[in-house]
Amino acid sequence: MSRPGGTGRHRLEVPRGAVTAPDGLLLIDKPSGLTSHDVVAAARRLGATRKVGHAGTLDPMATGLLLIGLGRATRLLTYLVGADKTYTATLRLGQETTTEDAEGTVTTSHGCAPTGDLPGRLDAALAALTGELMQVPSAVSAIKVDGVRAYARVREGQDVALAARPVTIHALTRLSEVRATTATDGTAVVDVDLRVSCSSGTYVRALARDLGQALGCGAHLTALRRTSVGPFDVEQALTLEAAAAQVEAGAASVPPSGLTPLSLAEVARRCFPAVALDEAQARAIAYGQLLPAEVAERAVAPERAVVPKKRRADGAVNSRPVLAGFAPDGEVVALLTTGKGRTRPVLVLAPAAGPGRADTQPTAGEPGDQGES
């Protein structure tokens, strides 16, 4: 796999799959320097399919877990975007940048020294930023302001003021001792490694900014790695090099094979409470019909269930629990919800089985596109 340069953009040279990859979820360990769109483009070629999407952007500087949906799994991404996430990050105390990370231009250099009380003050600041917060997103985020991305307005020299949004920081802890170092401009600064467990929509760069303000010295991120999304961990992910090697080996086999993502059934079982349906119930759900509410009462929750969320226009978040209905053969038929004494499908995943099948689009009023911060 090569990564030609010189054009200002990355175009990954990866092999094209010999066969179209099955529908499913591909876990990729994104390297630094690539956009999430770059990875999606590579997955299209590796999987020999155009129907590819991802569940939550990672900035080019960041590394770690990116969930890639192939085929019908792209329909599930709406329900995975709102999953909680964990990160490891390196924070630099003593300097602020235009982007709140190392890719931006330094705007202030207050400097920072590892004085005796710094670890205690840092731990207190971390504790103060834990829990339910109103966070002002990074000005260089992808949030739209009057139809234009905030980062695009910043690049044009505009001042961008974004409204605070509710987020939850489940845990914000220090992974290392503070380390005295020197920035490239000679400023004495301090680096420290952190672990962040947070809700979807949290800007870790904004946490760095707020920590720097709390400590009075300014701060920015120098490294960020996503280690988990819902029930999926980066240790389970493939690098792009490993995915390319899998495709090359599959092309040379007889018969040829391709990428092997997690199946729709496995993804649904790991993410949502599972409901076992009999043949008649599975057929009814596949056709968009309603079932009694009691059907949902036998759902068995996974260890790390995902609760889909959607952010409203006012910034508040609505949580909408869903279940996964499984046919007797173990295949996932649909995602389900309950209400008004009925269990109904919100997303039918079973392959088309003939005329009269329900439309597999989400039911009106159910989850649609969810922007991930």
Side-chain angles (χ1 to χ4, degrees), residues 327-349:
D329 64 1
E331 291 300 311
V332 60
V333 179
L335 298 188
L336 313 170
T337 191
T338 58
K340 298 182 180 180
R342 292 287 187 268
T343 298
R344 62 187 178 91
V346 294
L347 177 65
V348 176
L349 292 165

Side-chain angles (χ1 to χ4, degrees), residues 30-258:
K30 187 189 88 67
S32 181
L34 297 183
T35 67
S36 298
H37 179 74
D38 291 331
V39 178
V40 167
R44 286 194 179 107
R45 185 166 178 81
L46 291 164
T49 179
R50 297 296 300 171
K51 199 170 184 180
V52 179
H54 69 78
T57 301
L58 277 175
D59 290 334
M61 184 192 82
T63 68
L65 184 59
L66 193 63
L67 303 185
I68 302 292
L70 305 176
R72 283 180 296 143
T74 58
R75 313 294 298 283
L76 279 175
L77 298 179
T78 291
Y79 299 85
L80 301 182
V81 164
D84 289 344
K85 299 172 177 66
T86 60
Y87 299 86
T88 56
T90 299
L91 182 71
R92 173 155 291 180
L93 301 172
Q95 288 186 322
E96 297 174 317
T97 74
T98 53
T99 57
E100 298 163 0
D101 63 20
E103 295 197 323
T105 302
V106 174
T107 56
T108 59
S109 292
H110 300 291
C112 184
T115 56
D117 66 342
L118 179 61
R121 291 193 297 120
L122 175 58
D123 290 343
L126 294 173
L129 286 172
T130 302
E132 296 183 357
L133 309 173
M134 292 297 293
Q135 184 187 65
V136 176
S138 171
V140 291
S141 69
I143 294 173
K144 288 186 177 180
V145 180
D146 296 330
V148 179
R149 301 287 186 187
Y151 63 73
R153 292 184 177 276
V154 171
R155 287 172 183 167
E156 294 173 357
Q158 300 179 30
D159 290 329
V160 175
L162 299 174
R165 294 148 51 116
V167 299
T168 302
I169 310 301
H170 303 294
L172 182 56
T173 55
R174 187 155 54 93
L175 294 178
S176 72
E177 298 298 324
V178 296
R179 304 184 297 274
T181 188
T182 304
T184 54
D185 64 357
T187 301
V189 293
V190 168
D191 288 349
V192 64
D193 300 328
L194 306 176
R195 180 181 183 275
V196 184
S197 174
C198 57
S199 64
S200 174
T202 300
Y203 287 85
V204 183
R205 284 177 296 168
L207 282 176
R209 174 201 66 205
D210 295 343
L211 282 166
Q213 291 175 353
L215 295 170
C217 61
H220 68 276
L221 289 181
T222 60
L224 181 65
R225 181 166 177 77
R226 184 188 285 165
T227 56
S228 73
V229 178
F232 305 106
D233 299 317
V234 72
E235 291 80 8
Q236 303 158 352
L238 292 173
T239 63
L240 285 171
E241 289 81 2
Q246 185 181 103
V247 165
E248 289 176 335
S253 65
V254 180
S257 61

Side-chain angles (χ1 to χ4, degrees), residues 79 271-274 305-308 320-324 335-338 346 366-367:
Y79 299 85
C271 292
F272 310 112
V306 172
V307 178
R320 295 159 300 181
V322 298
L323 315 171
L335 298 188
L336 313 170
T337 191
T338 58
V346 294
E366 292 305 318

